[in-house]
Amino acid sequence: YGFLEDEQILCIKCVNLQTKSTSSGRKSFIAVGTGFFRGEDVGMRGNVYIFEIIEVVPEPDNPQTNHKYKLLCHEEVKGSVTAICDVKGYLLTCVGPKIFIRAFEDNDRLISVAFIDIQIYGNSVVSVKDYILLGDVYKSVWFLGFQEEPAKLILVGKDYHSLEVSCLNYLIDEPMLYITVADMDKNIHLFQYAPYNVQSFAGQKLIRRGDFHIGAQVKVTLSMPKKELVRNEPNEQGGSGYLEEDISGNKLLCFISIITPIPERMYKRLQLLHSKMVTGLQHIAGLNPKAFRLLNSKQKLAINPAKGILDGDLLFQFQNLAVHRQKEMTKHIGTTVERIIDDLLVVQESCDYF
């Protein structure tokens, strides 16, 4: 499908929308949001496209050309469409400072059913059940709820500090739901909606649970099914700490990092080991890995860093140490080498997605 000459695709996503053409009442479509860049003296415009992938007769000697895009719906909007997702069978679009919920009627038109205004510019959005996580390019994270009857969007909670959000997603550690946010300063932040916490003012303010400096710009975050910690002891269920592990080699090209929740007792053991390895090892060029992972921001923050995420790259260097160094470190923190190795194996198996 060809777009107009000055029309740029800003977001594209596979969405699951309500439809009467299937017995289940849902069907997957391709939603595309675009914008026109015609200079600062012309008002911004955009379009929302809904495509369906259909089967066609392939070209001779080329059986892979048996699918094509079929345009079902096209709607012009006053502003660029910067983010798209689906929520309970409806289509959510971010158009500048406005968030719209649209119903896909009769597979040929979009009807607005609800909207809400944010502060500056929504650039990333993701949904889980009837909740919506929204990232603002300057005003941090918004946690919204969607109600069908009557249809409306409700502000559940938000972060009131300035944060340039790059992308975000959710992290489930049953029964808790956390929000993982990457910013433009190459940091990862972890927020939690905790209405019973006194500091959250009945849930109006999201509680910061952790922050971690990645050192590279994060462009995409993906929530993956949690793998069970197979060697957990019965009294170690439930997590309060998080471990970030870099599983790539060259950050100049690309890298993949995984953040996984770990039980509280394991977190305390690994936190003590982390502190001991920071001071007890000779690091490359005399650099301090703990200082590098501290929250880095161009602006002066009015909050204290929340050190709830451990550096997996540093912890896994424990396996390469000499046996006497391993015994010396574990003796200082009151545990054994076998216990630490077992913890690291549990973390490695829980992150074994590839």
Side-chain angles (χ1 to χ4, degrees), residues 282-338:
Q282 292 185 356
H283 303 290
I284 298 175
L287 300 177
N288 190 333
K290 184 177 180 180
F292 175 72
R293 296 303 185 183
L294 292 178
L295 182 64
N296 185 12
S297 177
K298 294 178 291 187
Q299 303 176 357
K300 186 176 181 180
L301 300 177
I303 55 175
N304 295 323
K307 304 173 185 178
I309 304 177
L310 300 178
D311 187 356
D313 290 343
L314 179 62
L315 288 173
F316 276 93
Q317 293 181 19
F318 179 81
Q319 305 176 54
N320 302 325
L321 297 178
V323 176
H324 71 278
R325 291 298 307 277
Q326 292 180 349
K327 292 182 178 179
E328 180 182 351
M329 286 189 174
T330 53
K331 183 179 179 180
H332 287 168
I333 63 177
T335 185
T336 62
V337 176
E338 291 76 14

Side-chain angles (χ1 to χ4, degrees), residues 36-157:
F36 292 89
F37 298 94
R38 297 172 177 170
E40 60 183 13
D41 56 339
V42 180
M44 179 66 73
R45 309 290 293 184
N47 289 309
V48 179
Y49 297 89
I50 303 295
F51 292 97
E52 181 184 11
I53 299 178
I54 60 174
E55 292 188 4
V56 296
V57 178
E59 298 177 359
D61 301 328
N62 193 1
Q64 297 179 353
T65 59
N66 61 337
H67 291 86
K68 67 175 295 185
Y69 286 109
K70 178 184 178 182
L71 179 62
L72 299 179
C73 177
H74 161 235
E75 180 180 350
E76 185 176 355
V77 295
K78 296 180 180 179
S80 58
V81 183
T82 55
I84 280 180
C85 78
D86 61 278
V87 50
K88 299 188 71 175
Y90 294 86
L91 181 68
L92 184 147
T93 57
C94 296
V95 183
K98 291 185 178 292
I99 310 300
F100 293 95
I101 296 287
R102 291 180 167 91
F104 192 36
E105 293 287 341
D106 300 328
N107 285 4
D108 60 359
R109 66 182 185 274
L110 293 171
I111 299 178
S112 296
V113 297
F115 77 96
I116 192 173
D117 290 328
I118 59 175
Q119 288 183 293
I120 305 294
Y121 179 91
N123 65 342
S124 56
V125 63
V126 65
S127 65
V128 49
K129 294 187 177 180
D130 52 354
Y131 293 101
I132 301 163
L133 311 178
L134 175 68
D136 192 288
V137 72
Y138 288 112
K139 294 297 182 179
S140 195
V141 188
W142 296 57
F143 187 41
L144 308 175
F146 174 60
Q147 176 182 299
E148 283 191 272
E149 295 182 2
K152 62 179 179 179
L153 284 168
I154 304 170
L155 176 61
V156 180

Side-chain angles (χ1 to χ4, degrees), residues 180-247:
T180 306
V181 183
D183 65 9
M184 298 295 184
D185 294 326
K186 306 175 183 179
N187 302 310
I188 288 286
H189 304 263
L190 200 65
F191 294 93
Q192 180 190 9
Y193 173 68
Y196 300 107
N197 192 315
V198 178
Q199 298 179 355
S200 69
F201 301 101
Q204 298 181 26
K205 178 182 177 182
L206 297 178
I207 301 299
R208 185 185 298 267
R209 292 302 188 189
D211 47 57
F212 190 85
H213 183 64
I214 294 291
Q217 193 71 255
V218 180
K219 295 298 184 182
V220 178
T221 55
L222 177 65
S223 180
M224 304 180 70
K226 178 184 175 182
K227 290 194 172 185
E228 294 297 330
L229 302 181
V230 295
R231 290 187 177 87
N232 267 359
E233 297 175 1
N235 58 353
E236 288 197 358
Q237 298 293 334
S240 64
Y242 302 87
L243 189 142
E244 190 272 349
E245 179 186 1
D246 182 10
I247 58 174

